[in-house]
Amino acid sequence: MIDDLKEKFLNELESVISPADLFQLRVNYLGKKGHLTSALKALSSATPDERPLLGKKINDVKQFVEAHIASKEAAFKNEELKKQLLAGAIDITLPGKYAAFGKEHPINQVLFEITDIFVKMGFSVEEGPEVETDYYNFEALNFPKDHPARDMQDTFFVSDDIVLRTHTSPVQVRGMEKRKPPVRFIAPGKVYRCDADITHTPMFHQVEGLMVDKDITFSNLKGILEAFLHQMFGPDTRVRFRPSFFPFTEPSAEVDIGCILCGGSGCRVCKNSGWLEILGAGMVNPAVFKNVGYDTEIYTGFAFGMGIERIAMLKYAIDDIRLFYENDIRFLRQF
Ligand code: FA5
């Protein structure tokens, strides 16, 4: 009977196809009630003569069974490992993973370009708060209470006395309060107006400029702005100054450049005038100097303020300002 057991085991081993089958086979042969354990128990009923030979046979079969089960077990483990390795394998022929890098927004690109030009001309860079008091946004800039000029800037009010700044000009006042002349800085930043169409957004960017010293004249203003516009739009760009009004400058001017799209012959963008309005400017009103304690007998100065979106639209020939803020990646990728 013990001689048959080996063959029976080999037959059964052949039909083992999973670790669970193998476990069951082990129980059937080596478990407490398994064939080999029973055979060992039955040894006691053999005659003393038969016992040593039979005992040896049973042990041989037991070792045989244990060895085969161990090697089958190792084969299963090996197979499992192979499966895991294959599942986690790196296919080096697949394309790599690309990190999506962002890039500078076109408005920031233009802002940095403008800043760069002025820094090279000796201007420093000043910052001020976007949530501003009525005093800095209007009062100190010579907009008296209830003055109609306040309506030119459609203001977002936070409270009676606090506004979202409507222009970067309040930074002129804050900057002058902090230092004595000579003063030469630009102040770029976000400003807010209740205004929205294809050339106006409720949030936009301005760059303010201020220069104060003894003997600063309108010629200095013209020279600096022409130098800036020629660097920004090319050395052949025509520049013209038109009389205008701002409460904080006197005299005041609006500055136009020859249309860079049609070269001055007239087109849709320049509304057939051949000119494009680019910024506001003027000589600092002595009333503003008085508010910051500068001696108006000694010092004069000029200031200017430009819309960055307007400049970016001209530079890149974009006819709708809202494109800058729709976050359409196809638009933004082009810059
Ligand atoms: C001012 O804001 C003055 N503070 C500029 C200034 C500074 C004059 C220093 C004199 C001395 P104005 O309201 O014109 O001026 O605005 C300046 C520029 O901002 C405009 O030429 C235009 O390019 C831009 N701008 C005005 N409103 C909007 C808007 N809603 N969206 C986009 N750009 C605008």
Side-chain angles (χ1 to χ4, degrees), residues 71-287:
S71 93
K72 189 80 182 166
E73 203 167 50
F76 278 135
K77 274 194 184 148
N78 225 352
E79 229 170 83
E80 183 57 27
L81 185 67
K82 250 192 214 161
K83 258 193 220 161
Q84 280 178 5
L85 285 175
L86 273 177
I90 296 168
D91 181 350
I92 55 162
T93 64
L94 287 174
K97 282 185 188 160
Y98 294 99
F101 287 110
K103 56 186 296 203
E104 235 158 50
H105 192 278
I107 294 301
N108 272 342
Q109 289 181 30
V110 172
L111 194 152
F112 292 140
E113 199 177 332
I114 295 170
T115 305
D116 220 41
I117 294 171
F118 281 106
V119 165
K120 282 181 186 146
M121 292 197 283
F123 285 73
S124 60
V125 178
E126 190 77 12
E127 281 187 345
E130 289 171 27
V131 182
E132 189 52 285
T133 60
D134 181 277
Y135 176 75
Y136 285 109
N137 197 76
F138 291 123
E139 200 83 24
L141 288 165
N142 198 35
F143 287 86
K145 283 244 185 295
D146 305 318
H147 191 281
R150 288 194 181 207
D151 293 343
M152 285 160 53
Q153 319 217 342
D154 302 294
T155 312
F156 286 114
F157 284 91
V158 175
S159 67
D160 279 353
D161 246 2
I162 308 283
V163 300
L164 296 186
R165 69 177 178 190
T166 56
H167 51 173
T168 42
S169 299
V171 189
Q172 285 185 35
V173 181
R174 288 181 176 275
M176 285 191 281
E177 279 179 347
K178 274 195 254 174
R179 50 171 83 70
K180 295 260 161 281
V183 169
R184 190 175 354 180
F185 64 73
I186 57 164
K190 292 185 171 66
V191 301
Y192 303 85
R193 290 185 199 178
C194 188
D195 205 355
D197 57 38
I198 65 162
T199 54
H200 298 85
T201 45
M203 183 285 297
F204 60 103
H205 296 75
Q206 287 188 339
V207 175
E208 193 78 10
L210 178 70
M211 185 162 178
V212 182
D213 203 349
K214 291 173 188 159
D215 304 323
I216 297 288
T217 67
F218 206 94
S219 311
N220 298 119
L221 170 62
K222 286 187 79 175
I224 291 281
L225 286 181
E226 276 180 14
F228 161 69
L229 292 167
H230 286 162
Q231 286 181 72
M232 194 73 203
F233 292 107
D236 299 325
T237 310
R238 289 172 306 140
V239 179
R240 88 175 174 188
F241 286 68
R242 272 183 299 111
S244 185
F245 171 78
F246 298 103
F248 39 94
T249 47
E250 182 58 40
S252 301
E254 218 115 41
V255 180
D256 302 336
I257 57 170
C259 181
I260 52 176
L261 294 168
C262 65
S265 58
C267 68
R268 191 170 57 92
V269 174
C270 63
K271 297 190 184 98
N272 287 319
S273 69
W275 294 96
L276 294 162
E277 181 197 318
I278 202 102
L279 53 88
M283 299 305 292
V284 179
N285 192 318

